[in-house]
Amino acid sequence: MPNRAQPPDIGALVDPAIDSTPDVVDSVAFARLYGEPLFALPQDLYIPPDALEVFLETFEGPLDLLLYLIRKQNFNVLDIPMAEVTRQYLSYVDQIREHNLELAGEYLLMAALLIEIKSRMLLPVKKTDTGEEPDDPRAELVRRLLEYERMKLAAQKLNELPQLGRDFQRAHALMDIRVERMLPDVSADDLRQAWADIMRRAKLNAHHKITREQLSVREHMTRILRRLADVRFMEFTELFGESVDNGHTVPVIVVHFLAMLELARESLLEVTQAAPYAPIYVRLTYTTQATN
């Protein structure tokens, strides 16, 4: 609210019987008048009342003022007496409008809303088409007031928290500390864990090397002819028994079988069987011919 301060009592500030001008100017002047330093107030100084006008903006906005009027008089926010609140609100707006029209413009919109709500409440109540009671004209205003009050209380609680620079200062200190580098202590368990990690990583990097084995069908044909040269016949499984016993791989046994088939195709080897499901025998063809 505007407050016009009264002109100060100059006699109380400066005693005419005392000369306040020092013999030696050794202080700082608080003002300059026509370029000359002024170290004391003149005795005939007159300050007009309008020059000391002070205006205190105690409210942060229309909602703040309206909430203040309601809480100050202990009105129920859910049942606001619009006539009394509107009268008090307009009284405050008239006061600030005389001194600060720009600030009053923010409050005039709320004043128009209060007058509208007041006029709507004076009209007779009419039920809606569905037979329900119409909404209270104050409902939207009450919602805004309650929401604003919650935000205001939350802001006050946040403001009560300790703040750097207001409630406490951050301590600063300079220290010249030299820290010697300490070698870590390694135990047997640490070495065991480190070695286990290395072995675990080594297993992840395992390689599988594939090499090409040189196999010759002609070489295995020669081996078969040499084995059958000293015998009249040999059982089929016995022919491959040597390869299995020596730990030869499957490719070697397959090539050995192909060599036998190649000898049979060239009529150098004969495969015979006396009866179905009977043992299979192999023998050299030229040996039979020589015997006959």
Side-chain angles (χ1 to χ4, degrees):
M1 298 176 62
N3 182 18
R4 297 180 181 274
Q6 300 295 328
D9 188 2
I10 302 302
L13 297 176
V14 179
D15 190 354
I18 301 176
D19 185 6
S20 60
T21 304
D23 297 334
V24 179
V25 179
D26 57 354
S27 61
V28 178
F30 63 86
R32 287 184 176 272
L33 183 60
Y34 300 109
E36 297 295 332
L38 186 64
F39 297 96
L41 292 175
Q43 299 180 7
D44 57 348
L45 177 64
Y46 171 73
I47 301 177
D50 293 341
L52 293 179
E53 181 178 347
V54 179
F55 184 80
L56 299 178
E57 298 182 7
T58 58
F59 304 106
E60 299 179 356
L63 285 177
D64 197 19
L65 170 60
L66 191 59
L67 185 62
Y68 169 78
L69 295 176
I70 295 173
R71 294 306 187 190
K72 181 181 179 181
Q73 303 174 81
N74 295 325
F75 291 150
N76 186 3
V77 70
L78 300 178
D79 188 15
I80 304 173
M82 297 304 303
E84 182 63 22
V85 173
T86 304
R87 184 187 61 79
Q88 297 178 10
Y89 186 90
L90 292 176
S91 176
Y92 179 83
V93 172
D94 290 338
Q95 294 180 24
I96 63 176
R97 187 172 55 183
E98 296 178 0
H99 305 280
N100 193 336
L101 184 60
E102 181 180 357
L103 180 61
E106 300 179 5
Y107 293 82
L108 289 176
L109 181 60
M110 179 59 70
L113 178 61
L114 293 176
I115 294 174
E116 179 188 359
I117 295 175
K118 179 182 177 182
S119 62
R120 290 174 58 187
M121 294 182 65
L122 295 176
L123 297 175
V125 179
K126 294 182 179 180
K127 295 185 177 181
T128 60
D129 298 337
T130 58
E132 298 178 356
E133 293 293 335
D135 295 336
D136 192 339
R138 300 169 295 181
E140 180 61 22
L141 179 61
V142 170
R143 186 192 64 80
R144 293 175 58 185
L145 285 172
L146 293 177
E147 184 176 354
Y148 175 78
E149 187 176 26
R150 286 196 297 268
M151 293 299 103
K152 187 176 182 179
L153 293 176
Q156 291 177 358
K157 291 182 179 180
L158 289 177
N159 189 53
E160 293 174 358
L161 297 177
Q163 297 182 14
L164 177 63
R166 187 193 67 178
D167 303 318
F168 63 93
Q169 299 293 335
R170 182 176 298 173
H172 297 277
L174 297 178
M175 295 185 298
D176 186 10
I177 301 177
R178 296 181 180 180
V179 180
E180 296 293 337
R181 183 179 179 183
M182 302 296 293
L183 296 178
D185 295 332
V186 181
S187 62
D189 292 337
D190 296 334
L191 289 175
R192 181 181 58 80
Q193 184 64 31
W195 175 251
D197 293 339
I198 293 176
M199 295 303 296
R200 190 180 303 109
R201 293 169 57 188
K203 292 179 180 179
L204 297 177
N205 297 329
H207 297 281
H208 180 67
K209 187 176 180 180
I210 299 176
T211 58
R212 181 179 179 183
E213 185 177 1
Q214 297 292 338
L215 299 175
S216 174
V217 177
R218 290 295 177 183
E219 180 181 355
H220 283 265
M221 291 171 64
T222 304
R223 293 181 182 179
I224 294 174
L225 292 176
R226 289 177 180 176
R227 290 197 62 188
L228 296 177
D230 299 334
V231 295
R232 292 184 55 188
F233 56 87
M234 181 179 293
E235 192 175 350
F236 177 80
T237 55
E238 185 181 354
L239 181 64
F240 294 91
E242 182 180 357
S243 299
V244 175
D245 295 339
N246 293 335
H248 290 165
T249 59
V250 174
V252 175
I253 298 176
V254 171
V255 173
H256 200 68
F257 180 70
L258 293 176
M260 185 198 69
L261 295 179
E262 185 67 19
L263 289 173
R265 187 181 69 85
E266 295 179 359
S267 300
L268 297 177
L269 184 143
E270 184 180 2
V271 180
T272 60
Q273 186 179 28
Y277 304 105
I280 300 175
Y281 295 93
V282 293
R283 61 181 180 179
L284 296 180
T285 303
Y286 64 88
T287 303
T288 305
Q289 296 175 352
T291 305
N292 293 334

